[in-house]
Amino acid sequence: AWPSPWGTGRPGWHIECSVVAGDILGANMDIHAGGSDLKFPHHDNELAQSEAYYGHHQWVNYFFHAGHLHIKGLKMSKSLKNFITIRQALQEHSARQIRLMFLMQPWDRPMNFSDQTVGAAKSKEAQFKNFFGTVKALIRSKWLDEEVGWRSREEDRALYDQIADCQSKCHHGFCDNFNTPQVVDALSSLVTYCNNYLSR
């Protein structure tokens, strides 16, 4: 930083982002995203520059600031030599397992890539795969030859209530800051309930 007539100066690459975004998206954009470390000074400087240039007070409607990736509890960093690329991660884990691992953690807080988080994702993946395997096997069997729909059983009505409850929890989870851990938990609970239903 250095002194200036307007206060302490900071080195800035911020102008590049303002110019490129303004050139492509214009005087206003709905969503701007980045890592949590970009809140200040980068995004603040982009706002100041762009709003001054365009002469209005809202260049961006919503900011999304994602949490950083931590490897076994430490922020991923080349200097710490705990850096992992997506290609390297895919050599040991499937794309679905990595996606589930991220979905099971809040997007706007630090995310941990560890044996425990990958293990939890593998367990969840196995639960979903086994459930869909069971459903496919039932479809191929004569299970659907029976009357479909309300069989006037309390179990059917209870299943319907569980499905409706899961839909509501998923909707509210997505509306609550994209709360994907809540959504995954709701789907997992529904799968458990359906497995019990099918085993009766």
Side-chain angles (χ1 to χ4, degrees), residues 7 32 69 71 78 84 90-91 103 121 136 144 167:
H32 192 347
L69 183 61
I71 308 293
K78 285 184 180 177
I84 185 169
L90 288 171
Q91 289 174 354
L103 288 172
K136 286 178 183 176
L144 288 178
Q167 288 175 324

Side-chain angles (χ1 to χ4, degrees), residues 25-181:
L25 300 171
N28 180 261
M29 68 177 83
D30 197 31
I31 296 172
H32 192 347
S36 58
D37 58 329
L38 297 181
K39 289 179 187 179
F40 180 83
H42 182 60
H43 286 160
D44 278 3
N45 283 336
E46 279 188 292
L47 282 171
Q49 292 163 171
S50 299
E51 290 173 359
Y53 177 79
Y54 289 112
H56 59 71
H57 298 290
Q58 191 155 341
W59 182 54
V60 174
N61 295 335
Y62 303 98
F63 274 101
F64 289 171
H65 292 108
H68 289 124
L69 183 61
H70 286 66
I71 308 293
K72 298 182 180 175
L74 296 171
K75 182 181 170 189
M76 185 170 80
S77 164
K78 285 184 180 177
S79 62
L80 293 176
K81 299 190 183 337
N82 67 345
F83 191 84
I84 185 169
T85 66
I86 292 174
R87 280 195 180 94
Q88 290 170 328
L90 288 171
Q91 289 174 354
E92 295 183 37
H93 315 291
S94 72
R96 181 182 290 139
Q97 290 162 356
I98 293 171
R99 287 186 198 110
L100 274 169
M101 182 199 66
F102 286 124
L103 288 172
M104 292 168 68
Q105 302 179 63
W107 70 272
D108 59 341
R109 293 192 202 126
M111 295 189 180
N112 199 21
F113 184 90
S114 66
D115 295 339
Q116 291 81 11
T117 56
V118 173
K122 287 180 177 181
S123 174
K124 203 64 73 179
E125 179 193 36
Q127 180 192 25
F128 289 129
K129 280 176 76 173
N130 291 338
F131 172 69
F132 288 118
T134 300
V135 170
K136 286 178 183 176
L138 281 173
I139 290 171
R140 286 191 295 267
S141 73
K142 295 190 174 188
W143 192 74
L144 288 178
D145 289 347
E146 299 177 27
E147 179 186 353
V148 177
W150 295 115
R151 298 181 176 112
S152 298
R153 295 190 312 180
E154 281 189 34
E155 292 92 342
D156 294 334
R157 296 183 189 282
L159 176 62
Y160 175 79
D161 290 341
Q162 289 293 320
I163 292 169
D165 183 56
C166 181
Q167 288 175 324
S168 176
K169 285 178 179 172
C170 289
H171 176 77
H172 285 99
F174 285 128
C175 290
D176 180 21
N177 196 29
F178 297 106
N179 188 343
T180 54

